[in-house]
Amino acid sequence: MHPEIAQCLRMIAKLNYIMGEHAEAMAYQQKAVLMSERVNGIDHPYTITEYAHLALYCFANSQVSTALKLLYRARYLAVIVCGENHPEVALLDSNISLILHAVGEYELSLRFLEKALALNIKYYGAKSLKVAVSYHLVARTQSCMGNFRSALNNEKEAYAIYKQQLGENHEKTKESSECLKHLTQQAVVLQKKMNEIYTGKNGASLPPIQIQPPSMVSVLDMLNAINGIIFVQISQEDIENFKAEIEKRQLSEESEEQDLNAALPEPVKNH
């Protein structure tokens, strides 16, 4: 029972998660939470962090309700410890909103997202990548609610930041551009149909809003992104090159050690 052991358990859990072993990650993270509660206290910043990590792993194991409860608890403690206006609260709000988005609670999700957006602008600046992600999440939620005009405006903000910070050819910029095209098409179709209704054309009715419900995989990918979990794809060739480099270094070190021993006087060798 020691604070550093709790942090080690968290790192083991994270490694398991990155390797795709979600059940093992959750098991180790549960131990990290219990140990941190005992050695640090339930309102310690480390313990709040452990709750957030456990929530992510629970969601990855399809325990959506448990994940949401853990995040609500983490947020409650974070607000008690450091107040509403703290960057970590923005991260927790983003996590909560994504899980609410996954279960179709769009209005409540949007409330948390708007709070997270305001805090990110306050602490990281209006042109930071964290703010761009918040704008994109807000736009995505608004599009699911059928509010394409507001969604379009927010996605434009995200696109402008990505273009300025990353350039036109970056994956994120292109993704935002495609999202803008889709939102524009939906907004045009909706406005055209509403104009027909206002002009009194017979049989005119609002078109069905094309809403693609979020998949658990896409939500999990976004949760990984906002929590700083990056999966690096390593090819077999890279692995082999890495092994060869390690063996080369080991041989070099052994050779240097042999040369050193050969250069030492005999009494020193025996000693």
Side-chain angles (χ1 to χ4, degrees):
M1 298 295 294
H2 193 277
E4 291 186 8
I5 299 297
Q7 293 180 51
C8 288
L9 287 169
R10 183 206 305 168
M11 294 304 298
I12 294 172
K14 190 172 184 178
L15 287 171
N16 277 308
Y17 180 73
I18 290 172
M19 292 188 294
E21 299 168 352
H22 294 165
E24 288 82 356
M26 187 171 68
Y28 274 106
Q29 190 59 33
Q30 285 175 333
K31 294 177 182 178
V33 166
L34 292 172
M35 190 172 294
S36 186
E37 284 180 337
R38 293 183 183 182
V39 298
N40 295 319
I42 61 170
D43 58 350
H44 193 278
Y46 281 164
T47 306
I48 296 171
T49 300
E50 306 301 0
Y51 286 137
H53 281 270
L54 182 56
L56 175 61
Y57 305 152
C58 284
F59 185 84
N61 282 281
S62 301
Q63 297 186 15
V64 180
S65 177
T66 303
L68 198 54
K69 289 177 181 178
L70 285 164
L71 285 172
Y72 279 139
R73 178 174 177 79
R75 189 185 191 279
Y76 169 74
L77 292 171
V79 170
I80 289 177
V81 173
C82 52
E84 289 270 1
N85 296 317
H86 193 278
E88 286 302 315
V89 175
L91 178 59
L92 290 170
D93 282 349
S94 296
N95 277 275
I96 292 170
S97 68
L98 277 167
I99 295 181
L100 289 170
H101 184 90
V103 297
E105 294 288 344
Y106 301 128
E107 290 187 11
L108 187 55
S109 173
L110 185 60
R111 286 169 56 190
F112 280 101
L113 278 175
E114 288 172 341
K115 289 181 180 179
L117 174 60
L119 285 175
N120 283 332
I121 291 174
K122 177 180 179 180
Y123 286 105
Y124 302 107
K127 299 300 179 182
S128 76
L129 293 176
K130 286 182 181 290
V131 172
V133 172
S134 290
Y135 274 125
H136 173 70
L137 293 178
V138 168
R140 193 172 70 162
T141 304
Q142 288 173 332
S143 69
C144 288
M145 298 169 66
N147 189 354
F148 295 113
R149 181 172 296 179
S150 296
L152 192 59
N153 290 334
N154 282 296
E155 191 61 43
K156 283 179 180 177
E157 295 286 348
Y159 175 76
I161 296 172
Y162 283 135
K163 185 178 178 180
Q164 179 183 352
Q165 299 286 351
L166 304 174
E168 291 185 1
N169 297 323
H170 194 274
E171 180 185 348
K172 285 292 182 183
T173 310
K174 292 179 179 178
E175 180 185 330
S176 182
S177 177
E178 289 298 318
C179 188
L180 277 175
K181 291 178 183 177
H182 173 74
L183 290 172
T184 302
Q185 291 170 356
Q186 292 298 304
V188 168
V189 170
L190 185 63
Q191 188 61 49
K192 182 179 179 181
K193 211 63 175 179
M194 290 184 71
N195 290 340
E196 292 177 359
I197 294 173
Y198 292 143
T199 55
K201 289 189 177 181
N202 293 329
S205 60
L206 283 174
I209 299 173
Q210 296 181 13
I211 295 174
Q212 184 176 0
S215 66
M216 290 296 177
V217 174
S218 67
V219 173
L220 187 59
D221 287 343
M222 188 57 71
L223 283 169
N224 291 331
I226 67 173
N227 286 287
I229 297 177
I230 302 172
F231 296 86
V232 180
Q233 298 297 327
I234 304 176
S235 66
Q236 189 62 36
E237 182 182 356
D238 290 334
I239 294 174
E240 294 300 327
N241 290 338
F242 179 73
K243 288 181 179 178
E245 181 65 23
I246 293 296
E247 291 174 359
K248 182 179 177 181
R249 288 186 182 183
Q250 288 176 342
L251 290 173
S252 177
E253 289 173 0
E254 289 174 2
S255 177
E256 289 177 0
E257 185 177 353
Q258 289 173 358
D259 293 342
L260 179 62
N261 287 333
L264 289 173
E266 193 65 31
V268 176
K269 289 183 184 178
N270 293 335
H271 178 71

